[in-house]
Amino acid sequence: MVCSTKSTLVFLLVLSVIGIGAFIYGSVFEDWLNNGNDEDDNNINAPVASPISQNGNNGDGEYQFIQCDVGSVNTSQCCNGLNNVCNKRVNEIMFAATHNSMSTMQDQFSAPNHFRRMEESLEAGYRAFLLDVHEFGDSVSFCHGSCAFGRKAPEEVFESTVKFLDENPSEVVIFEFQMDSDSVQLLDNLYSVMEQTNGFLDKVYVNDNALEFPLMGDLVVDNKRILLFQHDGPNCNNEGACPSGIMSTYNHMFETTFDLDTVDDLKDYDTSCAITRGSPDNAFFLLNHFVLGFLFPGSADAEEVNQYDVLESRTTECSSFVGGKLPNLIAVDFWSVGEVLRFVQEQNGAL
């Protein structure tokens, strides 16, 4: 009788988990099928072609991210896809960013934040990546919460970034790392992976306590096209605490709240535009533009908040909270739905 009762309880628990999973992931799998119904299942891992040569497969449909004049792509006259932003400082333009960039369905994460891989978002036009750094065995890995729910090797990310930047000499990217601890060793281990990735550190911008960040065109000419930030790790203001080129995020950035459970919460600008970390006097403005959802992120919420009109409305409202400064990083979930890239490039094109 006891065994029977325990078996029944286990069975009911399994059914409950399945039911909750169906509720949470129903829209995710439906959108995945809808977004991917033109692809052969056996080719799901095929990379998206470079946007220079072909329109990327992204949420903006056939939107062409790199729009520079022919002949200027390999010069300082083209920066992040546009001719007009090379004379702007890196903290004066917008970067489309992905939240929990490593957490994708294609990389087999549980409760993923995105359908498609980070590498494909880079090809499509995303230029800033928010990544969580955890210990994994004797090394480090990009995980969210726990590496039991999925992990991505930093080597894979850094190697693909170098390859992309070598093929696209006009593009500048930003990495923002959330460290799982303030251990110097954890940050050193991450940096060790960078050192072992041929060509990566050669492209890293080193701030050297400069009062201003450089022009986009100068970063392109100098081939210093990777900016590195970290938070929850060591304080990089302390001499020797951080490897060369890694900056403490909230010494240079400020951000809106990320604790938004529903679309209505995000559209409540009095709450969602509140600056929760960093000083508004800092150089970069990070707009967290995603919804946490019921237990896990849902693509249906992203489908709504990643639309152009919502992005425009919230960007305008949140900018008014900080003296008119426009966001520099707009971090989203499910990057392959919505109109984020078009919005960002049209804002940059109007500068």
Side-chain angles (χ1 to χ4, degrees):
M1 182 66 177
V2 174
C3 292
S4 175
T5 301
K6 288 183 177 179
S7 298
T8 301
L9 289 174
V10 170
F11 178 73
L12 291 174
L13 179 60
V14 171
L15 286 180
S16 298
V17 171
I18 292 173
I20 291 172
F23 175 77
I24 293 170
Y25 289 110
S27 64
V28 172
F29 284 109
E30 180 182 358
D31 286 354
W32 173 250
L33 290 172
N34 289 339
N35 288 346
N37 58 10
D38 292 330
E39 299 174 343
D40 185 284
D41 288 343
N42 294 325
N43 294 324
I44 195 171
N45 296 329
V48 177
S50 168
I52 286 181
S53 60
Q54 178 179 328
N55 292 327
N57 180 16
N58 54 66
D60 299 89
E62 295 301 312
Y63 185 75
Q64 182 75 29
F65 181 82
I66 294 184
Q67 304 168 17
C68 296
D69 298 335
V70 175
S72 68
V73 171
N74 294 324
T75 74
S76 63
Q77 299 307 308
C78 180
C79 301
N80 278 26
L82 296 171
N83 292 116
N84 69 297
V85 299
C86 291
N87 63 348
K88 301 295 183 183
R89 298 193 182 277
V90 65
N91 61 302
E92 292 177 333
I93 74 166
M94 277 190 190
F95 290 74
T98 56
H99 167 241
N100 288 339
S101 308
M102 65 284 162
S103 176
T104 74
M105 184 176 288
Q106 283 191 332
D107 284 308
Q108 300 180 341
F109 274 71
S110 299
N113 292 84
H114 307 278
F115 292 127
R116 308 193 68 84
R117 285 195 178 96
M118 175 184 166
E119 291 84 353
E120 294 185 18
S121 68
L122 179 60
E123 294 283 358
Y126 284 81
R127 296 291 180 265
F129 306 95
L130 282 56
L131 294 151
D132 294 3
V133 181
H134 289 250
E135 291 182 358
F136 185 77
D138 296 329
S139 187
V140 294
S141 194
F142 295 137
C143 311
H144 183 53
S146 168
C147 292
F149 301 133
R151 63 186 183 88
K152 190 171 182 69
E155 295 90 340
E156 181 182 356
V157 171
F158 298 153
E159 287 171 5
S160 64
T161 300
V162 170
K163 182 176 184 295
F164 174 83
L165 292 177
D166 285 343
E167 294 173 352
N168 298 278
S170 63
E171 304 306 287
V172 175
V173 300
I174 295 174
F175 287 103
E176 202 288 311
F177 303 114
Q178 177 177 317
M179 307 302 294
D180 187 47
S181 77
D182 61 1
S183 162
V184 172
Q185 188 62 55
L186 181 62
L187 187 58
D188 284 346
N189 286 344
L190 180 66
Y191 192 77
S192 178
V193 179
M194 298 177 191
E195 289 180 314
Q196 295 166 25
T197 304
N198 187 38
F200 188 89
L201 288 180
D202 294 338
K203 295 178 174 62
V204 170
Y205 163 74
V206 178
N207 181 260
D208 285 334
N209 297 314
L211 295 177
E212 292 184 308
F213 278 86
L215 300 176
M216 289 288 291
D218 289 342
L219 290 172
V220 169
V221 169
D222 295 339
N223 197 23
K224 298 298 181 182
R225 296 180 290 130
I226 301 173
L227 279 70
L228 302 175
F229 298 90
Q230 66 84 20
H231 73 278
D232 291 346
N235 184 350
C236 296
N237 281 345
N238 297 331
E239 186 174 355
C242 298
S244 177
I246 299 183
M247 298 170 276
S248 284
T249 299
Y250 301 115
N251 290 340
H252 301 283
M253 291 189 191
F254 61 95
E255 69 173 349
T256 57
T257 181
F258 60 83
D259 191 15
L260 303 170
D261 293 328
T262 68
V263 172
D264 287 342
D265 290 340
L266 183 140
K267 291 183 177 180
D268 176 5
Y269 300 135
D270 287 338
T271 298
S272 75
C273 291
I275 304 304
T276 55
R277 291 192 286 189
S279 167
D281 294 329
N282 288 344
F284 290 88
F285 180 8
L286 167 58
L287 184 73
N288 289 310
H289 192 79
F290 51 85
V291 172
L292 298 179
F294 175 71
L295 297 181
F296 303 112
S299 61
D301 291 333
E303 184 69 51
E304 182 171 353
V305 302
N306 290 359
Q307 293 304 314
Y308 195 106
D309 60 337
V310 179
L311 288 159
E312 184 174 44
S313 174
R314 186 159 180 253
T315 294
T316 300
E317 290 296 327
C318 291
S319 174
S320 71
F321 279 57
V322 289
K325 179 174 174 56
L326 289 173
N328 302 110
L329 287 75
I330 299 183
V332 302
D333 280 342
F334 295 99
W335 65 265
S336 57
V337 302
E339 302 170 289
V340 180
L341 294 176
R342 184 166 73 89
F343 174 76
V344 165
Q345 282 303 70
E346 289 188 5
Q347 297 300 305
N348 284 333
L351 293 175

Coordinates of all heavy atoms in Angstrom, one line a residue, residues 205-214 252:
Y205 N 40.0 46.4 -26.9 CA 40.3 47.8 -26.5 C 40.7 47.9 -25.1 O 40.0 47.3 -24.2 CB 39.0 48.6 -26.8 CG 39.1 50.0 -26.1 CD1 39.9 51.0 -26.6 CD2 38.3 50.2 -25.0 CE1 39.9 52.2 -26.0 CE2 38.3 51.5 -24.4 CZ 39.1 52.5 -24.9 OH 39.1 53.7 -24.2
V206 N 41.7 48.6 -24.8 CA 42.2 48.8 -23.4 C 42.0 50.3 -23.1 O 42.5 51.2 -23.7 CB 43.7 48.5 -23.2 CG1 44.1 48.8 -21.8 CG2 43.9 47.0 -23.6
N207 N 41.2 50.5 -22.0 CA 40.7 51.9 -21.7 C 41.8 52.8 -21.1 O 41.9 54.0 -21.4 CB 39.5 51.8 -20.7 CG 39.0 53.2 -20.4 OD1 39.3 53.7 -19.3 ND2 38.2 53.8 -21.3
D208 N 42.7 52.2 -20.2 CA 43.8 53.0 -19.6 C 43.3 54.3 -18.9 O 43.9 55.3 -19.0 CB 44.9 53.3 -20.6 CG 45.7 52.1 -21.0 OD1 45.8 51.2 -20.2 OD2 46.3 52.1 -22.1
N209 N 42.1 54.2 -18.3 CA 41.5 55.3 -17.6 C 41.3 56.5 -18.4 O 41.3 57.7 -17.9 CB 42.4 55.7 -16.4 CG 42.5 54.5 -15.4 OD1 41.5 53.9 -15.0 ND2 43.8 54.2 -14.9
A210 N 41.0 56.4 -19.7 CA 40.7 57.5 -20.5 C 39.5 58.2 -20.1 O 38.5 57.5 -19.7 CB 40.6 57.0 -22.0
L211 N 39.4 59.5 -20.2 CA 38.2 60.2 -19.8 C 37.1 60.0 -20.8 O 35.9 60.1 -20.4 CB 38.6 61.7 -19.7 CG 39.6 62.1 -18.6 CD1 39.9 63.6 -18.7 CD2 39.1 61.7 -17.2
E212 N 37.4 59.7 -22.0 CA 36.4 59.5 -23.0 C 36.6 58.2 -23.8 O 37.8 57.8 -23.9 CB 36.3 60.7 -24.1 CG 35.9 62.0 -23.5 CD 35.8 63.1 -24.6 OE1 36.8 63.2 -25.3 OE2 34.7 63.7 -24.7
F213 N 35.6 57.6 -24.2 CA 35.7 56.4 -25.1 C 36.0 56.9 -26.5 O 35.6 58.0 -26.9 CB 34.5 55.5 -25.0 CG 34.4 54.7 -23.7 CD1 34.0 55.1 -22.5 CD2 34.9 53.4 -23.8 CE1 34.0 54.3 -21.4 CE2 34.9 52.6 -22.7 CZ 34.5 53.0 -21.5
P214 N 36.7 56.0 -27.3 CA 37.1 56.4 -28.6 C 36.0 56.5 -29.6 O 34.9 56.0 -29.4 CB 38.1 55.3 -29.0 CG 37.7 54.2 -28.2 CD 37.1 54.7 -26.9
H252 N 31.3 52.2 -15.7 CA 31.1 52.8 -17.1 C 29.7 52.7 -17.6 O 29.4 53.4 -18.6 CB 32.1 52.1 -18.1 CG 33.5 52.1 -17.7 ND1 34.3 53.3 -17.8 CD2 34.3 51.2 -17.1 CE1 35.5 53.0 -17.4 NE2 35.6 51.8 -17.0

